[in-house]
Amino acid sequence: MATTEKSLAASEIARETIKQIAVRRVEPTPENYTQIYFEIAGKPVKDDAANAIRKALKQLPHDTLEQTNWINRWEKLLKQDSWQGLVELLTESMQQQLNHSTKWPNALRTLLQGWDDKRGGLDASKKREMFERVLINFGDDDSLSDKLLAMANNWLPADVRAAGLPTFELPSVAQAVESADVANSVPAVTVNAVGLPDDVQQFHGAFTLLQTLLKQTLHLGLIPRLEGYPDLQSEAVALQGSAERAKKLKEWEVLAKSLKALLMRVEMIGAKEDDVRTDILQLLHLLLENIGELVTEDSWLSGQIYAVQSIISGPLDRAKLKVAEKSLKEVIYKQGLVKHSLIEARNSFKTLIGTFIDKLKYMGEASEQYSGKIEAYAQQLSQTDDLIKINELVDQLMRDTYAMQTDILRSRDDILVQQKEASGTQQRIDKLQDELTQLSEVVRIDQLTGVLNRRGMDEAFNTEIARFQRGGEPLSVALLDIDNFKLLNDQHGHAAGDSALKHLATVIKRTVRPTDIVTRMGGEEFVVLLPNTFLEEAVVTMSRLQRALTKEYFLGNNQKMLITFSAGVALFQKADDMSSILLRADQAMYLAKKTGKNRVMTEIDLRKNASI
């Protein structure tokens, strides 16, 4: 009777279970039926083998590639909903466990044998180094015994090595990376992975490469840059050691956090160093300005000072610094030769002047002696009437007069020769001074475009302003700026930008008059001084230049390119100086940019635009 009631209860539960599956609209699978059945019966759901295995797999460690690969194979087996591969997986796992229990004795036995063997060509220090490398790389790896066995077997001579062991080799990727630092490179060993998928092997290789790159970045890039900061350098060295030992994900997370904190502190130091560099450059500017005020008479030295000022005024670029250094060295060398010759010529001239003065002094002394003799002869003549005595006095007077005449003629010839030498020396001094001036002119020329640079522009402005003040002739100034120059640099590189600047300078020089002065004010901006030119004529000249520029291509990175420019033109007034007229021209140029580019605007357009 109890059995019947129990059976009825079970059948009722089964009917209710089927009803709930329909009501809940769940798939009528054995798993869902079992879960609802036990729910209605008020009993705990019993896990089947598959669910139990899935839960267990989630609790297993995933620290190594071998562990992850083993778990993935189990999960793949469960997803297939088939136990066909279970026997193979269990057999492989059992065999690996059995092999593991026998590998360590073999590995240690072979390690001792290889360590004591002297025939392999490796000394004890080399073997110790390789042994430490294996422990560092595979100390937490289940395949450590395989690695040690392969390494120790490789120490033995070929005729006594055990056959069938994993191969032992130096990975080419590790060699390529670690050859950058011989001091820190230790031979790495790899044992061919068995049973690992290709993507897992590739991931392991990429991970090893990135780990090595991180160590080399710290050792070669960061640590040397922290000289003078011992605390940060010690921290970087410690991070390098951590990068060598890190294997688990948590260790890498700690390493990444520490590295980020270190880099933030290094960034703060970099900002402070930038401030220090800026202060040093400002101090150098002041020093050069001071020296420039002291050597205003030496134009050749002023030119060199201006060259250095031009370099440190813009962004510091190593290539430009090298080019400027080479050019400045050549100028300094030539100026040194000329300066030396000039000093020698001046010393020679001083010697000639000194000799000339000595001659004059000698002539003066001789003249005084002669005058004294004349007075003595005159006194003696006044005191005697003896004709014979008078004849003797006259003979002595004639001899002294002849000697005096001879001395005067000789001194005259010497003075004429010295005068000629002095004239030649003066000409040589003038020539050498001209050479110094010409060498100084080198720093007035922009090395890239061949037109005047900012210093040359300043001097040209001073000359033209002085001419305007003397004669009142009109002077127009045009300021040109290449359109979209930054975009050209970003898309095609700085080499193309340099080609554009040279191309524009060439077209300008070919288009304007010989009396017009072309200068590069800086960057992509050019200034053209047009003497004896009114505003309307200057606009016509700039428009003609724009048309000429649009007809000519230039090569940038082996590509044909076309550029345009916007220009602002202003007319020099009595109250103007260089800054004021350049300001008006610059404002007119920006108005041309604003209204569409490739245009020419004047200060008149500025006033019209301001009144709108």
Side-chain angles (χ1 to χ4, degrees):
M1 187 70 179
T3 303
T4 304
E5 292 178 358
K6 192 172 183 179
S7 300
L8 290 174
S11 62
E12 291 176 358
I13 294 173
R15 284 195 298 271
E16 185 64 23
T17 300
I18 295 173
K19 186 185 296 183
Q20 288 297 321
I21 290 175
V23 172
R24 298 181 186 183
R25 297 181 179 181
V26 296
E27 187 177 357
T29 60
E31 292 80 5
N32 291 334
Y33 180 87
T34 302
Q35 182 178 356
I36 296 175
Y37 181 91
F38 280 101
E39 180 184 335
I40 294 173
K43 298 179 180 180
V45 179
K46 296 181 180 179
D47 283 338
D48 57 7
N51 287 331
I53 292 174
R54 288 190 181 94
K55 291 181 180 179
L57 291 176
K58 292 180 180 179
Q59 298 176 2
L60 293 178
H62 295 67
D63 296 333
T64 66
L65 290 174
E66 288 77 9
Q67 291 173 345
T68 303
N69 181 61
W70 190 82
I71 293 172
N72 288 339
R73 294 182 65 186
W74 272 101
E75 291 178 347
K76 183 178 180 181
L77 181 66
L78 294 174
K79 288 181 180 179
Q80 292 175 351
D81 199 15
S82 173
W83 299 100
Q84 293 180 357
L86 179 61
V87 176
E88 179 184 355
L89 184 57
L90 291 176
T91 302
E92 182 180 331
S93 299
M94 182 178 64
Q95 188 63 39
Q96 288 179 354
Q97 185 64 30
L98 292 174
N99 291 339
H100 187 71
S101 64
T102 59
K103 281 180 181 178
W104 272 108
N106 292 336
L108 294 176
R109 188 180 302 109
T110 307
L111 181 63
L112 291 174
Q113 182 182 359
W115 190 274
D116 294 334
D117 196 289
K118 308 298 182 182
R119 295 172 294 172
L122 297 174
D123 56 16
S125 61
K126 190 69 174 179
K127 291 177 181 179
R128 183 182 298 106
E129 187 179 20
M130 297 173 68
F131 181 61
E132 291 177 353
R133 171 57 68 178
V134 172
L135 292 180
I136 291 173
N137 287 339
F138 306 103
D140 298 331
D141 202 311
D142 292 336
S143 62
L144 177 60
S145 59
D146 292 329
K147 308 297 194 285
L148 292 175
L149 182 61
M151 178 190 67
N153 190 55
N154 189 72
W155 291 351
L156 298 172
D159 56 344
V160 297
R161 291 178 185 172
L165 291 180
T167 58
F168 173 82
E169 59 183 4
L170 293 175
S172 58
V173 174
Q175 282 180 333
V177 174
E178 297 192 357
S179 62
D181 184 10
V182 178
N184 284 339
S185 67
V186 180
V189 290
T190 60
V191 178
N192 291 343
V194 180
L196 293 178
D198 291 341
D199 55 347
V200 176
Q201 294 186 35
Q202 292 179 4
F203 175 79
H204 185 269
F207 172 79
T208 304
L209 177 61
L210 291 174
Q211 183 184 33
T212 307
L213 287 175
L214 174 60
K215 292 185 292 185
Q216 296 299 330
T217 300
L218 289 171
H219 181 72
L220 299 175
L222 185 59
I223 294 176
R225 298 292 296 272
L226 295 177
E227 290 289 344
Y229 302 95
D231 294 341
L232 295 180
Q233 195 173 47
S234 300
E235 188 173 342
V237 172
L239 286 176
Q240 182 186 4
S242 300
E244 293 178 352
R245 297 186 298 270
K247 295 295 181 183
K248 299 181 181 180
L249 178 60
K250 291 183 179 179
E251 294 174 342
W252 280 103
E253 288 176 348
V254 173
L255 176 62
K257 185 177 180 180
S258 301
L259 181 60
K260 182 179 179 181
L262 175 63
L263 292 178
M264 290 180 65
R265 294 168 63 190
V266 171
E267 184 179 3
M268 294 176 63
I269 291 176
K272 293 180 180 178
E273 290 181 345
D274 289 340
D275 293 339
V276 171
R277 183 179 63 175
T278 302
D279 293 340
I280 292 175
L281 287 175
Q282 290 178 351
L283 184 62
L284 184 57
H285 272 295
L286 292 174
L287 182 62
L288 290 173
E289 289 176 4
N290 231 355
I291 296 175
E293 294 295 330
L294 296 174
V295 296
T296 53
E297 297 299 325
D298 290 330
S299 59
W300 63 276
L301 183 56
S302 300
Q304 294 176 29
I305 292 173
Y306 181 81
V308 178
Q309 287 177 326
S310 300
I311 293 171
I312 64 177
S313 295
L316 296 180
D317 181 82
R318 185 173 180 83
K320 291 181 179 179
L321 286 173
K322 287 295 182 183
V323 172
E325 179 185 4
K326 181 180 178 181
S327 176
L328 199 57
K329 282 182 178 179
E330 292 177 356
V331 172
I332 291 173
Y333 174 73
K334 293 177 181 178
Q335 287 178 340
L337 295 177
V338 175
K339 183 81 173 178
H340 180 70
S341 299
L342 181 59
I343 293 174
E344 287 184 346
R346 286 177 176 172
N347 291 336
S348 177
F349 187 73
K350 289 181 180 178
T351 302
L352 290 174
I353 296 299
T355 304
F356 178 74
I357 293 174
D358 290 339
K359 288 290 184 182
L360 290 178
K361 180 180 179 182
Y362 171 76
M363 291 177 62
E365 292 175 351
S367 178
E368 289 180 0
Q369 292 178 0
Y370 182 74
S371 298
K373 289 181 179 181
I374 294 296
E375 291 179 359
Y377 292 147
Q379 185 177 2
Q380 292 178 20
L381 284 173
S382 64
Q383 295 175 357
T384 183
D385 292 328
D386 186 357
L387 186 59
I388 296 174
K389 184 66 174 178
I390 292 174
N391 286 333
E392 291 177 356
L393 291 174
V394 171
D395 289 338
Q396 291 177 1
L397 177 61
M398 292 299 294
R399 286 195 300 269
D400 290 340
T401 302
Y402 178 76
M404 180 63 183
Q405 182 182 12
T406 302
D407 288 342
I408 290 175
L409 291 175
R410 187 184 301 113
S411 298
R412 173 180 172 275
D413 293 338
D414 290 343
I415 290 174
L416 290 176
V417 171
Q418 291 172 359
Q419 182 183 12
K420 185 177 180 180
E421 292 179 358
S423 178
T425 302
Q426 184 61 50
Q427 292 177 1
R428 185 184 174 195
I429 291 174
D430 294 340
K431 182 180 179 181
L432 293 172
Q433 195 70 49
D434 291 340
E435 290 180 11
L436 274 177
T437 303
Q438 290 174 5
L439 287 173
S440 178
E441 290 296 317
V442 172
V443 297
R444 299 177 66 250
I445 303 299
D446 181 64
Q447 299 300 311
L448 177 64
T449 60
V451 301
L452 294 178
N453 58 17
R454 182 58 186 260
R455 183 190 181 209
M457 184 188 76
D458 294 345
E459 294 179 0
F461 256 110
N462 292 335
T463 302
E464 295 304 322
I465 291 175
R467 181 180 290 111
F468 170 84
Q469 293 172 345
R470 287 195 306 269
E473 296 178 349
L475 172 63
S476 292
V477 176
L479 194 152
L480 292 65
D481 187 278
I482 299 178
D483 296 326
N484 305 315
F485 185 73
K486 184 179 184 303
L487 182 63
L488 174 67
N489 268 334
D490 293 341
Q491 292 184 348
H492 302 283
H494 291 285
D498 291 345
S499 298
L501 294 170
K502 290 189 285 187
H503 174 64
L504 176 58
T506 301
V507 175
I508 295 175
K509 289 188 290 186
R510 191 170 60 241
T511 304
V512 300
R513 302 168 303 181
T515 56
D516 298 332
I517 302 170
V518 184
T519 71
R520 182 185 176 194
M521 189 167 70
E524 68 272 25
E525 292 184 331
F526 290 79
V527 172
V528 182
L529 279 66
L530 300 111
N532 199 22
T533 304
F534 287 100
L535 194 64
E536 297 79 5
E537 298 171 332
V539 172
V540 172
T541 301
M542 291 300 104
S543 300
R544 184 173 68 251
L545 176 58
Q546 284 182 328
R547 290 193 299 271
L549 192 63
T550 55
K551 295 177 183 178
E552 296 190 31
Y553 293 91
F554 72 95
L555 286 178
N557 293 333
N558 295 322
Q559 299 180 21
K560 284 186 175 181
M561 297 183 181
L562 193 67
I563 57 172
T564 61
F565 68 84
S566 300
V569 184
L571 184 65
F572 195 86
Q573 307 295 335
K574 290 183 179 180
D576 272 331
D577 56 14
M578 183 180 72
S579 299
S580 61
I581 190 170
L582 282 178
L583 177 61
R584 295 203 308 277
D586 185 66
Q587 291 173 343
M589 182 271 292
Y590 274 104
L591 179 61
K593 293 271 189 184
K594 185 178 179 181
T595 53
K597 300 181 180 180
N598 194 23
R599 298 170 182 267
V600 180
M601 291 291 180
T602 69
E603 52 188 342
I604 298 176
D605 298 314
L606 277 176
R607 291 194 290 270
K608 291 180 180 178
N609 184 71
S611 62
I612 296 176

